């Protein structure tokens, strides 16, 4: 049985690394395999991937991992230091900080996920349209993009949240509104480099419409660069969301959002350090994980950034 398994694994590896793939599916699988092998050689990228996977698992199994109800207050047990009963201590209302950090991971993943799936497609569509059509369309779309890029993301997000009102839904919308311009710039640059290529002209001669050229030929070529940029930007999204929560404009009490937890604990920072430090460390670790993962994906997906 062991010999058969080893033989099967060897045959699969040979199939994936074949220099002459017999089908498009085999070629795609081979590229994915080679990319994964290159990715695993980057130890820091693997650490980042482990952190992100850990965040996802904590989010999924939060009700099982949290030892206490994150919203249950116990004023007789307030500001308790880390110990056997409460590993990370309790806050000013006697709530278990470990449980609140675990459930806070859900809001963090929700924010970065929703922002990524809304801002990235908008930026991709705007950038490819500007780069493909050029002329006044390019000028108009890029000037709008420049207006958004002229302001720091946090300041612009603060302005939108102040106009829309506090709350995690409005915070997500504000971050998404401020996140799309860099993706539009990347997509535009990629589009300009390929819009006059031979394969685009061949597709045009076959009767493919402009929208078909953009969605079927140009957008797929922009995906790899966009994935890298989105992954790297997720750390910034987390910090902006934490900043909004810290200022009271993001998730509202008693929701266990990390930025709001840091804000609640700042008045106890000198003596009861754990109240603000523990959620701050969670923000640091997750942001570092996304940065390391983005660096690893850049090495794999961007041929110009590799060795």
């Amino acid at each position: 049985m062991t010999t058969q398994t080893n033989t099967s694994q060897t045959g699969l590896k040979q199939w994936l690394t074949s220099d002459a793939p017999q089908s498009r599916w085999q070629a795609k699988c081979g590229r994915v395999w080679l990319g994964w092998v290159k990715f695993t050689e980057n130890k820091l990228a693997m650490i980042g991937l482990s952190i992100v996977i850990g965040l996802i698992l904590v989010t999924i199994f939060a009700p099982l991992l949290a030892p206490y109800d994150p919203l249950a207050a116990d004023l007789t047990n307030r500001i308790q230091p880390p110990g056997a009963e409460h590993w990370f201590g309790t806050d000013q209302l006697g709530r278990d900080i470990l449980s609140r950090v675990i459930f806070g991971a859900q809001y963090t993943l929700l924010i970065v996920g929703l922002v990524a799936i809304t801002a990235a497609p908008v930026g991709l569509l705007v950038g490819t349209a500007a780069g493909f059509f050029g002329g006044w369309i390019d000028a108009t779309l890029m000037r709008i993009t420049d207006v958004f890029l002229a302001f720091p993301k946090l300041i612009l997000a603060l302005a939108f949240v102040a106009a829309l009102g506090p709350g995690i839904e409005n915070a997500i919308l504000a971050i998404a509104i401020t996140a799309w311009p860099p993706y539009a710039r990347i997509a535009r640059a990629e589009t300009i480099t390929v819009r006059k290529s031979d394969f685009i002209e061949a597709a045009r001669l076959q009767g493919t419409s402009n929208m078909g050229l953009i969605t079927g030929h140009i957008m797929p070529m922009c995906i790899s660069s966009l994935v890298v940029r989105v992954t790297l930007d997720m750390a910034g999204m987390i910090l902006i969301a934490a900043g909004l929560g810290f200022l009271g404009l993001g998730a509202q009490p008693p929701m266990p959002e990390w930025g709001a937890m840091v804000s609640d604990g700042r008045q106890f920072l000198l003596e009861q350090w754990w109240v603000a430090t523990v959620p701050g460390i969670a923000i640091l670790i997750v942001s570092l994980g996304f940065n390391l993962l983005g660096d690893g994906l850049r090495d794999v997906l961007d041929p110009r950034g590799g060795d």
Side-chain angles (χ1 to χ4, degrees), residues 105-249:
Q106 295 181 333
Y107 297 103
T108 298
L109 193 61
L110 174 67
I111 290 170
V112 298
L114 290 180
V115 171
I117 64 176
T118 54
V122 171
L124 179 62
L125 180 60
V126 171
T128 51
F132 183 82
F133 292 109
W136 67 270
I137 296 178
D138 182 22
T140 302
L141 293 177
M142 287 302 100
R143 295 303 75 76
I144 296 174
T145 303
D146 290 340
V147 170
F148 281 87
L149 290 174
F151 296 92
K153 287 185 179 180
L154 180 57
I155 302 301
L156 198 57
L158 284 172
F160 280 114
V161 173
L164 297 172
I168 190 169
E169 297 86 359
N170 291 338
I172 293 173
L173 179 59
I175 297 172
I177 292 174
T178 62
W180 66 267
Y183 310 143
R185 282 291 187 184
I186 292 174
R188 176 180 180 271
E190 296 278 354
T191 303
I192 289 176
T193 60
V194 301
R195 66 181 179 182
K196 298 297 184 182
S197 300
D198 292 340
F199 73 93
I200 296 293
E201 295 300 327
R204 193 192 303 275
L205 291 174
Q206 292 176 351
T208 306
S209 63
N210 288 335
M211 186 56 65
L213 292 173
I214 292 174
T215 58
H217 297 275
I218 295 178
M219 280 187 176
M221 299 191 66
C222 303
I223 295 297
S224 60
S225 299
L226 213 63
V227 168
V228 173
R229 181 59 189 261
V230 169
T231 307
L232 290 170
D233 282 354
M234 282 183 176
M237 297 174 191
I238 293 171
L239 293 177
I240 293 175
L244 295 176
F246 183 86
L247 297 174
L249 297 175

Side-chain angles (χ1 to χ4, degrees), residues 3-51:
T3 303
Q4 292 178 351
T5 302
N6 293 336
T7 303
S8 177
Q9 292 176 349
T10 302
L12 177 60
K13 186 175 181 180
Q14 291 177 347
W15 183 79
L16 291 171
T17 57
S18 173
D19 294 332
Q22 302 300 313
S23 65
R24 181 179 298 180
W25 170 250
Q26 182 180 358
K28 289 182 178 180
C29 292
R31 286 197 299 269
V32 171
W33 168 255
L34 293 177
W36 170 250
V37 171
K38 184 176 180 180
F39 184 85
T40 56
E41 294 173 354
N42 188 333
K43 303 304 180 184
L44 292 178
M46 292 299 294
I47 294 175
L49 178 62
S50 301
I51 293 174

